[in-house]
Amino acid sequence: MQDPGKRIKELRKTLHYHNKKYYVDAQPEISDFEYDQLMHELIKLEKEHPEYDDPVSPSKRVGRDINQEFEQVKHRSPMLSLDNTYSKEELQAFLQRVHKGLGQDPEYVCELKYDGVSISLTYEKAVLTRAVTRGDGYQGDDVTDNVRTIHSVPLKIQGENIPELFEIRGEIYMPRPVFDELNTQREKEGKEPFANPRNAAAGSLKMQKSAEMAKRKLDCFLYSMVAGDTPAKTHYNSLKLAKMWGFRVPENMKLANNHNDIFDFVDYWDENRKKLPYDIDGIVLKVNDFSMQEELGMTAKSPRWAIAYKFKAEQLVTRLESVNYQVGRTGAITPVANLKPVYLAGTTVKRASLHNADQIKLLDLYVGDDVYVEKGGEIIPKVVGVANRNENTKPIEFISKCPACGTELVRKEGEAKHFCPNENGCPPQISGKIKHFISRKAMDIDSIGEETVDLFIREGLIRNVADLFELKAEDILKLDRFREKSAKNIIDGIQEAKEVPYPRVVYAMGIRYVGETTAKVLSKAFPDIYKLAAASKEKIASFDEIGGTIAQSVVDYFNLPSNQEIVERLVEHGLQLKAEPSDTQITNKLNGAKIVISGSFENHSRDELKALIEKHGGKSVQSVSSKTDYLLAGENIGPAKLEKAKKHNISIISENEFRKMID
């Protein structure tokens, strides 16, 4: 009888080989039946001999039938989203910006923009060790168990020049035939069908049992390696290497050396995208050379060396039957069109945002018009024009009072939106602020749902976010449908939120215009909430990425006595309203100096130099401006940055001079 350990090893090697031939090379050598027989034999032997367990065994593709928690994991480098453009004029403007930034036209890589879920895969010693969703760009959910069930994601890779540790990023998607089959089955079972393949893929990836996720037959393209992780000098060559190692890289890529090649690629796929077995919603354009990518740098939200061109959305005509008005958590009033239902881009559309009074006036909309409707980014429905004016139509008259509380609306000069100023007495604003506060990217109190918030408000248990921390289990138990366990979970979830770090608490407060990125900037600039609350508009606006509008909004928020009271109560309840002592800064020798890094260096990588700048009290910035203090210049420095530094009389220092400044 053959040694079971030896047979298990043989089966794993054989199945790894056939996985690559089928899912990566698209050249299967055996039938599905033969493959299944080998897999069944392996699973049987592994159950009988658990001492041979291996996290990268092909049997892990079937997943586990155990509920799992999704741990939050920080990305090694941020997963930034791309800037979007919807017109060729804007695409041309991007090309001109790149030319200006580099002083030349680079080579580009044209790729398809897959409509799926972004994923980052980490490999250590050629083995998949972690799969993490994009999340907020800085941290995401660890979905490794689920991703292991996707056959086109290699559990182990082989080849030459494989780095000890690296990340490769891509898109998980659901093929159209699989999506259609899944929805047919759901309808038979009386379940709500998924709206589109992207939603189906996102929902599948977060399933609690990986064995169930395995049945969803998701697929994956890997299309990006972090520059420092690969021996290749260009994006295109890094993907050629990745394919040799066993990754499924995009099959429709093109190198473009001029603008005509780029626009030909755009036009071809705009015309032919429906022929693909998966959804795309545009193309992605990337500067090919990694050193040029570094030269162009990043903004706070996206790289300057890449852009996504979105295809024009599908349009249909339907009747505008009425308009009602929604009140957001900041008091913003949004008019919503109620439409005669129409099937558009995979879903039935009944409502669409009209944005604001100016948009209604611009489109010259009347109730009763036949209107053009499309989905922005093929997701959010919007009215884009009048197709036909029917008889007995009525012009839309924008409301003057809040539909929820009757307060007279205000509209500040230069703003498009009308607002209800009654922020502490308007029910949708009260509810919206609390729902934002408990949301995942804010305080992440997942034991309380939105319906529970509305119930607690109706029953008088809470009126603002500080009230959450004074809830008692006995008060919750007096309400219908709550038992001891659910009440305890709510109280425990609220107590756990006291450990949420300061930047997320600032974001959770719901200050108008303060998103996640701005909250991080503010919390770094003002290391406790009292310093932020006392800061002047001018002081706040002096920090990078903070404009006058945001600064005024922050000042207005903390000037309200009701908000001052809430902050005091949150401090008393022990929330993290101070920055944690940072171990990154060891001296203040650079005294806040803004330093741009450009070129390649003999003794340090660019990331190491950035870390050194921060450790010694400086700030690493991406682009040269009149506010820049130093240009840290290496070999092959970008000519545009050098020219701009000379224009602004900025000090240009070498790597050795920089070391002398901090040593």
Side-chain angles (χ1 to χ4, degrees), residues 438-584:
I438 68 170
S439 65
R440 184 177 168 194
K441 292 182 180 181
M443 303 302 288
D444 194 21
I445 309 177
D446 61 3
S447 55
I448 306 177
E450 293 194 355
E451 290 181 3
T452 304
V453 169
D454 291 333
L455 176 63
F456 285 178
I457 291 171
R458 284 198 307 272
E459 296 295 329
L461 294 184
I462 56 175
R463 288 282 296 173
N464 56 51
V465 298
D467 290 342
L468 288 168
F469 298 91
E470 292 165 14
L471 278 172
K472 295 181 174 59
E474 50 265 36
D475 296 329
I476 298 171
L477 287 170
K478 292 175 184 176
L479 306 178
D480 289 340
R481 76 180 175 85
F482 285 98
R483 299 290 179 265
E484 284 190 20
K485 185 176 180 181
S486 56
K488 182 179 184 300
N489 287 341
I490 288 171
I491 299 301
D492 289 348
I494 291 168
Q495 293 305 309
E496 287 167 10
K498 293 180 180 180
E499 302 305 315
V500 167
Y502 176 45
R504 278 173 54 194
V505 182
V506 173
Y507 169 65
M509 287 179 172
I511 304 169
R512 194 175 168 200
Y513 305 126
V514 175
E516 295 169 79
T517 303
T518 305
K520 288 173 184 172
V521 174
L522 288 172
S523 58
K524 189 173 182 181
F526 303 97
D528 72 53
I529 199 69
Y530 291 119
K531 289 179 180 176
L532 178 58
S536 67
K537 176 185 173 181
E538 292 71 26
K539 179 69 173 174
I540 296 168
S542 69
F543 291 91
D544 282 350
E545 302 166 29
I546 307 288
T549 302
I550 295 173
Q552 186 61 57
S553 179
V554 174
V555 170
D556 290 346
Y557 178 89
F558 287 107
N559 278 345
L560 271 180
S562 55
N563 289 335
Q564 293 168 8
E565 182 193 342
I566 286 171
V567 169
E568 287 292 345
R569 290 170 65 195
L570 294 179
V571 170
E572 288 172 11
H573 287 301
L575 272 71
Q576 303 297 315
L577 287 163
K578 286 185 178 181
E580 292 182 6
S582 173
D583 59 0
T584 57

Side-chain angles (χ1 to χ4, degrees), residues 31 55 60 108 185 190 205 224 229 314 322 327 336 376 393-394 408 412 426 458 482 525 542 570 600 652:
S31 68
K60 303 299 180 185
Y108 289 96
Q185 183 61 36
L205 198 57
S224 176
D229 285 352
E314 178 187 351
S322 64
V327 187
V336 177
T393 57
K394 295 180 181 178
E408 195 77 25
K412 293 182 180 178
C426 181
R458 284 198 307 272
F482 285 98
S542 69
L570 294 179
S600 54
I652 300 170

Side-chain angles (χ1 to χ4, degrees), residues 81-330:
S81 55
L82 297 180
D83 272 342
N84 290 329
T85 177
Y86 293 87
S87 73
K88 289 184 178 178
E89 290 76 21
E90 290 175 351
L91 186 56
Q92 184 69 48
F94 165 78
L95 298 172
Q96 290 168 354
R97 288 196 301 274
V98 170
H99 177 93
K100 186 178 179 182
L102 295 173
Q104 59 179 303
D105 280 327
E107 184 176 55
Y108 289 96
V109 182
C110 304
E111 301 173 8
L112 304 184
K113 185 177 182 302
Y114 305 100
D115 196 13
V117 182
S118 297
I119 197 74
S120 177
L121 308 177
T122 299
Y123 284 78
E124 296 182 54
K125 297 181 179 177
V127 172
L128 174 67
T129 56
R130 182 159 271 172
V132 182
T133 61
R134 182 197 298 278
D136 64 2
Y138 295 91
Q139 62 179 12
D141 286 335
D142 185 337
V143 290
T144 310
D145 274 355
N146 284 355
V147 168
R148 282 196 176 114
T149 70
I150 301 172
H151 287 267
S152 49
V153 174
L155 303 177
K156 190 174 183 179
I157 57 175
Q158 293 180 331
E160 297 179 358
N161 299 319
I162 298 175
E164 277 284 301
L165 171 69
F166 71 93
E167 273 185 73
I168 187 166
R169 292 167 176 178
E171 201 88 357
I172 290 173
Y173 68 92
M174 181 174 284
R176 265 281 168 193
V178 175
F179 172 74
D180 294 338
E181 182 184 329
L182 175 63
N183 266 356
T184 300
Q185 183 61 36
R186 289 177 72 84
E187 286 170 356
K188 283 181 183 176
E189 295 170 358
K191 296 178 181 176
E192 185 75 20
F194 284 111
N196 52 54
R198 187 193 183 285
N199 286 4
S204 301
L205 198 57
K206 296 295 182 69
M207 294 180 80
Q208 293 295 307
K209 296 181 179 180
S210 57
E212 289 300 310
M213 211 243 25
K215 298 174 185 176
R216 293 290 176 87
K217 302 177 186 175
L218 298 183
D219 218 327
C220 182
F221 278 121
L222 283 310
Y223 50 62
S224 176
M225 289 190 70
V226 178
D229 285 352
T230 170
K233 302 292 186 187
T234 67
H235 170 64
Y236 190 82
N237 286 339
S238 75
L239 293 185
K240 284 174 67 177
L241 263 180
K243 185 170 185 178
M244 290 168 58
W245 296 338
F247 292 108
R248 184 169 180 246
V249 302
E251 53 205 20
N252 296 297
M253 287 193 304
K254 176 182 177 180
L255 283 172
N257 292 295
N258 57 64
H259 295 191
N260 288 338
D261 288 347
I262 293 167
F263 288 108
D264 286 347
F265 189 85
V266 169
D267 292 339
Y268 178 83
W269 285 111
D270 196 4
E271 181 72 26
N272 291 280
R273 55 180 162 142
K274 297 297 182 185
K275 297 177 183 177
L276 294 167
Y278 44 79
D279 284 357
I280 65 170
D281 58 356
I283 67 106
V284 174
L285 195 61
K286 300 173 183 173
V287 171
N288 189 26
D289 188 277
F290 283 142
S291 65
M292 289 183 177
Q293 289 184 7
E294 289 191 26
E295 179 69 22
L296 291 164
M298 311 271 188
T299 68
K301 296 181 179 178
S302 58
R304 291 191 179 95
W305 44 263
I307 197 166
Y309 174 86
K310 294 287 199 78
F311 295 135
K312 187 171 175 59
E314 178 187 351
Q315 281 187 0
L316 288 176
V317 175
T318 189
R319 184 70 52 85
L320 171 54
E321 296 184 330
S322 64
V323 176
N324 57 19
Y325 297 84
Q326 293 179 341
V327 187
R329 66 176 174 84
T330 63

Side-chain angles (χ1 to χ4, degrees), residues 277-399:
Y278 44 79
D279 284 357
I280 65 170
D281 58 356
I283 67 106
V284 174
L285 195 61
K286 300 173 183 173
V287 171
N288 189 26
D289 188 277
F290 283 142
S291 65
M292 289 183 177
Q293 289 184 7
E294 289 191 26
E295 179 69 22
L296 291 164
M298 311 271 188
T299 68
K301 296 181 179 178
S302 58
R304 291 191 179 95
W305 44 263
I307 197 166
Y309 174 86
K310 294 287 199 78
F311 295 135
K312 187 171 175 59
E314 178 187 351
Q315 281 187 0
L316 288 176
V317 175
T318 189
R319 184 70 52 85
L320 171 54
E321 296 184 330
S322 64
V323 176
N324 57 19
Y325 297 84
Q326 293 179 341
V327 187
R329 66 176 174 84
T330 63
I333 307 297
T334 302
V336 177
N338 297 306
L339 306 166
K340 183 178 179 182
V342 60
Y343 192 75
L344 175 65
T347 60
T348 300
V349 174
K350 300 176 183 177
R351 309 176 81 210
S353 172
L354 296 175
H355 303 293
N356 53 56
D358 289 346
Q359 184 71 6
I360 292 171
K361 188 176 180 181
L362 179 68
L363 296 174
D364 189 29
L365 294 176
Y366 281 46
V367 172
D369 282 346
D370 290 333
V371 294
Y372 293 110
V373 182
E374 68 177 40
K375 285 189 177 180
E378 306 220 352
I379 297 173
I380 302 169
K382 59 181 179 179
V383 175
V384 294
V386 177
N388 181 53
R389 176 137 298 153
N390 299 304
E391 292 182 8
N392 301 320
T393 57
K394 295 180 181 178
I396 299 170
E397 294 183 12
F398 205 90
I399 57 174

Side-chain angles (χ1 to χ4, degrees), residues 11-24:
L11 285 167
R12 286 172 178 167
K13 185 177 180 181
T14 302
L15 286 165
H16 276 310
Y17 172 80
H18 288 299
N19 268 333
K20 182 177 183 295
K21 295 304 292 182
Y22 186 93
Y23 291 101
V24 178

